[in-house]
Each structure stands twice: as C-alpha cells, then as structure tokens.
Amino acid sequence: MTTPPGRAGTKGVPRAERERQILAAATEEFGRNGYEATTVAAVAARVGVTKPLLHQYFGGKPDLYLACLDPVGERLLGAVRSAMAERSTGAPPAPLRVMDALFHALDGQREAWFVLYDPTLPPDSDVAHRAAHYREAIDDLAATGAAGLLHTAGSGDPLDADALKYAWRGLCTALVRWWIGHPDQSPDAMTRRCARIFAAARSLGTVDGGEI
C-alpha cells in the first residue's frame, strides 16, 4: 500500500528523530511568521504528523514555542558571551567577533533570530517573559560592549552607551533579515561584509581628515 505524501515517514520514525524534525519545522515557522500567526496544525503538516501526535510530544503552542526558544536563546547567548570573552592577540574588534559568532550560531537556521526577537508574543505571557529573559541577558552583554567602545573613543556618557545598545540590536536584526533574503551568503562572507560596513561607518566619523 502506498503511503500518502503528507504522511510519509509518520510511522516507524524514532521519537527523538521525530521531535528533532518537529522542532526544526516549528522554529522555522515561528521565525518566519511570528508566534501569533503560527499554528500547531501548520507545523504538523510540514512534518507530516497529526496534531494529536504533536500535542502528545510537546503540548500546546506555548509549550512548542518554548521548546524552540530555549535552544535558540542558549545558543545565541553562548555565542555572544564567547565572542566577547575572546582576548587573544590579533583578534578582530569585539563588534566583528560578535557578528561572526551570531552568523555561525544561526547558520542553517537563520529564522531562529526572530523566534527570540518576536514582536507578536502575547504581552505578560510565559512565552514573552522567557524570551525577554534571553533578550535582556544579550542586551546586558551589548551594554557592556557599548560602554567599552565609547570609553575607548573618549565618551563616558551613559546615555550614549544606552543608545548604542539599542542601535546594535537593530543592526543585528537588519543584517540577519538581509541574510535570510540572500541564502547564498555564508557566515564567513557575512562577517567580511560586516568588516567592510564597519570600516565605512568609521569613515563617517571624520570630515576632511578630522573628527566631526
């Protein structure tokens, strides 16, 4: 008997592998469409399983989202921490190290960034609070980095550091969004592109050889 295409692989797949497939599909759905627009039915259909089976494995949509969020949050937070802790001689500047770490952490699952930075999460919900936990931890690292950069440049204004932190988050989001639209670009290619962009941005701080 021929198995219908939508159900191919539904039976006989080890649970661990099936869970991996579901989480990969759900992460992409949440990242592309946002929490609000993503349905359990859509995820189940992508994997070729039934909604009852998906509920059996992961519960409802909030539980499925959290099962996707925690690995993403830990991976991105760990990548930023490691990049900022790098102090070897000749290492690239911290902003470039962080971008390189993020690109490699997201390689193969670029939409995962928007699982963490999702504006459609229900306010004051468990999923919103959990996402905020990771975002705040990353923001704290960004604030430390921003303060360090500004101190090196001779600025000790805490509002400058706060503004730079928010600008940095926006830059990361914009670059990841651009990267999703250019699937042929590797993490290393994106890091080299960032190096060129950062170099150009530094040149904006001078006019005729002098500082603005």
Side-chain angles (χ1 to χ4, degrees), residues 7-52:
R7 298 295 301 280
T10 300
K11 296 181 180 179
V13 178
R15 175 164 180 157
E17 174 61 16
R18 183 61 82 202
E19 289 180 348
R20 186 198 66 76
Q21 293 172 352
I22 291 171
L23 288 177
T27 298
E28 187 169 344
E29 287 288 323
F30 284 126
R32 285 184 175 180
N33 304 316
Y35 181 89
E36 185 176 353
T38 295
T39 65
V40 171
V43 176
R46 284 195 56 174
V47 182
V49 299
T50 64
K51 282 178 60 178

Side-chain angles (χ1 to χ4, degrees), residues 165-188:
K165 176 187 72 175
Y166 282 95
W168 178 254
R169 182 199 287 183
L171 176 64
C172 291
T173 298
L175 286 169
V176 171
R177 193 181 300 280
W178 186 90
W179 191 32
I180 290 172
H182 296 78
D184 60 315
Q185 297 295 296
S186 69
D188 289 338

Side-chain angles (χ1 to χ4, degrees), residues 18-158:
R18 183 61 82 202
E19 289 180 348
R20 186 198 66 76
Q21 293 172 352
I22 291 171
L23 288 177
T27 298
E28 187 169 344
E29 287 288 323
F30 284 126
R32 285 184 175 180
N33 304 316
Y35 181 89
E36 185 176 353
T38 295
T39 65
V40 171
V43 176
R46 284 195 56 174
V47 182
V49 299
T50 64
K51 282 178 60 178
L53 180 65
L54 195 151
H55 281 293
Q56 177 185 336
Y57 283 5
F58 290 103
K61 184 163 85 167
D63 300 307
L64 180 60
Y65 171 81
L66 291 174
C68 296
L69 172 69
D70 283 334
V72 169
E74 292 295 334
R75 188 163 76 245
L76 295 179
L77 182 56
V80 175
R81 280 176 175 158
S82 296
M84 292 188 65
E86 175 62 48
R87 293 289 188 272
S88 61
T89 303
L96 194 58
R97 295 199 309 268
V98 169
M99 292 307 309
D100 181 68
L102 288 176
F103 291 137
H104 281 87
L106 291 168
D107 193 27
Q109 202 175 45
R110 301 177 187 186
E111 293 84 358
W113 177 267
F114 297 99
V115 175
L116 180 57
Y117 292 94
D118 183 351
T120 74
L121 296 176
D124 202 30
S125 63
D126 289 343
V127 294
H129 289 311
R130 188 62 177 167
H133 161 76
Y134 288 113
R135 290 197 302 267
E136 289 166 5
I138 292 174
D139 277 352
D140 286 345
L141 292 172
T144 300
L149 285 174
L150 290 169
H151 177 76
T152 301
S155 172
D157 188 333

